[in-house]
Amino acid sequence: MGAMGAIVALLVVLFLVFGVYATVKVVRAAKRGVDRTILEARRTVEDTTLRAKSFGQFGTAAELAQLRLSLRSSMRATQDVLHAGAAEDASLKETLSLFDRLSTHGHELDDELRRLERDPDKAALAARLPDLRERTTQITKAADSLRWSARDRARRFAGDDLDDLSTQIDMEAGALRHWTTEPSSPQTAGPSASTAGPSQPADSSAPTPAINPPASRPTYPWEKKTKPESTT
């Protein structure tokens, strides 16, 4: 009984540990989902604010908002394409590492643009705009290049697969219609009239045989033989 009680206690402890572990995993997953939702909502609100500033304001403030919006849109689009493609194409992992390095520069530039939006020195801000514009263009151009290269690669693979599939379908369709390519079998007809030799004229005086001529009547041993008729 003591050993059985120890086993039962151990099983109870294991079930409790497993329950706590599962609960922690569920809570962490839920927290990650909530954090992701909050982050997406925050990005959406910030992008909407930037669009409003770029269209509703003038001067350096509008240009800063436009630079941030262009930078964020390009980086996010490239990130989505690369992460989706890397799940099916292992060659994009190196591309993702390059994008991660590019993202570091993108985050630094976005933070700097955000701080400059609240800078009251408009003259100094106007003097820095050419450099900010050039850095934004350089980063977005690199991000666009990675994104379109990944898309071209995926489209090329899809095109090659479609060509192979079309070839296989054509071969299968030809196999299904095999009767259209087989030579016609010669007919087993009798000799023609031209090779049968000259026809013989029918003899009208020859008797026409009966369709079913009568067979000779069999004789049995118990029957009396027919006597021949007298010739006298």
Side-chain angles (χ1 to χ4, degrees):
M1 292 297 294
M4 183 64 67
I7 293 175
V8 172
L10 179 60
L11 291 176
V12 171
V13 172
L14 289 178
F15 279 123
L16 289 176
V17 172
F18 179 76
V20 171
Y21 175 77
T23 303
V24 171
K25 293 286 290 184
V26 170
V27 170
R28 288 181 178 177
K31 184 177 182 299
R32 285 195 299 268
V34 171
D35 293 341
R36 191 181 302 111
T37 302
I38 294 175
L39 181 60
E40 291 295 332
R42 186 179 302 168
R43 287 177 177 175
T44 302
V45 172
E46 195 166 3
D47 289 347
T48 304
T49 304
L50 289 175
R51 290 189 180 91
K53 288 181 179 179
S54 62
F55 290 106
Q57 296 182 0
F58 301 95
T60 56
E63 187 164 359
L64 286 175
Q66 184 62 41
L67 290 177
R68 286 193 65 198
L69 187 61
S70 176
L71 175 66
R72 292 161 64 90
S73 299
S74 177
M75 296 296 290
R76 189 177 298 118
T78 302
Q79 182 181 20
D80 293 342
V81 170
L82 293 182
H83 278 285
E88 300 178 356
D89 189 356
S91 300
L92 291 180
K93 291 182 178 179
E94 184 177 355
T95 308
L96 271 175
S97 64
L98 293 175
F99 177 75
D100 291 339
R101 294 172 56 187
L102 182 65
S103 296
T104 303
H105 295 278
H107 287 303
E108 292 177 354
L109 178 58
D110 187 59
D111 293 339
E112 184 176 357
L113 292 172
R114 184 188 295 108
R115 290 192 301 268
L116 291 175
E117 287 179 345
R118 299 186 295 268
D119 196 315
D121 192 351
K122 302 303 180 183
L125 181 59
R128 295 190 57 182
L129 272 178
D131 177 66
L132 296 171
R133 195 182 300 117
E134 182 179 357
R135 289 169 59 191
T136 303
T137 301
Q138 185 177 5
I139 293 176
T140 55
K141 184 177 180 181
D144 293 344
S145 178
L146 290 177
R147 183 173 69 256
W148 285 108
S149 297
R151 284 176 174 172
D152 291 342
R153 179 181 177 85
R155 183 167 56 251
R156 176 60 183 271
F157 285 163
D160 292 343
D161 183 69
L162 181 59
D163 292 340
D164 294 341
L165 180 60
S166 298
T167 302
Q168 294 176 9
I169 290 176
D170 291 341
M171 293 176 61
E172 182 65 18
L176 293 175
R177 300 192 188 95
H178 62 88
W179 66 85
T180 62
T181 58
E182 290 182 355
S184 58
S185 57
Q187 296 180 355
T188 57
S192 59
S194 59
T195 59
S199 60
Q200 299 295 330
D203 189 0
S204 59
S205 62
T208 303
I211 296 178
N212 294 317
S216 59
R217 184 176 180 274
T219 57
Y220 299 98
W222 59 82
E223 294 181 343
K224 295 181 179 181
K225 294 183 180 180
T226 305
K227 294 181 179 182
E229 296 180 355
S230 176
T231 54
T232 57

